Amino acid sequence: RRADQLHTHPRPPWTSKMSEAKISASQTVEEPLDLIKLSLDERIFVKCRGGRVLRGRLHAYDTHLNMVLGKVTEEITIIDIDEETYEENVRVEKRTVELLFVRGDTVVLVSPPLRTF
């Protein structure tokens, strides 16, 4: 879509009506994305390739697991190897982002919030 064709309504164009519907506690999770659907507007944990970890509120997702997260805390684990001693130096860089688009092909794991039904 071109920029002039984007929709300007409350529901972002990359979400479907199905992704906006909440599943009640009495319904079962029949497909993997049903678990993600339960996590809309909740804080989730996302592990990505390259040692990147995200924690944020899930605003939207699609079938490719592209996601829009809000109030995100990002941690990147970097391992440097000292060329003389061959010791691993592990450091973690952190940042916060108000709104973040996560491309689905970088996602390794998604963990919904803990629930007690």
Side-chain angles (χ1 to χ4, degrees):
R1 279 190 178 153
R2 295 188 337 237
D4 60 342
Q5 293 176 325
L6 292 177
H7 299 287
T8 56
H9 51 76
R11 183 175 61 85
W14 56 84
T15 61
S16 67
K17 290 181 182 177
M18 286 292 293
S19 69
E20 289 182 350
K22 291 278 186 178
I23 299 175
S24 70
S26 62
Q27 290 178 308
T28 60
V29 175
E30 296 176 4
E31 297 179 14
L33 288 180
D34 289 347
L35 189 58
I36 305 298
K37 190 183 307 180
L38 279 170
S39 301
L40 277 171
D41 294 323
E42 302 275 351
R43 287 193 60 80
I44 62 170
F45 172 85
V46 181
K47 186 173 183 179
C48 300
R49 294 182 189 175
R52 185 174 173 206
V53 172
L54 308 168
R55 288 177 180 83
R57 184 168 302 277
L58 179 63
H59 290 292
Y61 71 95
D62 66 12
T63 56
H64 302 287
L65 220 52
N66 295 320
M67 292 181 272
V68 176
L69 301 177
K71 296 185 180 173
V72 181
T73 303
E74 176 184 36
E75 295 180 6
I76 302 174
T77 303
I78 301 168
I79 301 173
D80 295 321
I81 298 177
D82 187 308
E83 293 181 9
E84 293 178 8
T85 63
Y86 297 104
E87 289 183 21
E88 290 184 355
N89 299 315
V90 179
R91 61 188 166 99
V92 177
E93 292 185 3
K94 295 182 182 184
R95 72 176 183 149
T96 56
V97 181
E98 192 62 32
L99 199 61
L100 185 69
F101 176 84
V102 181
R103 188 175 160 111
D105 65 355
T106 66
V107 174
V108 175
L109 176 138
V110 176
S111 177
L114 292 175
R115 285 190 170 64
T116 55
F117 290 109

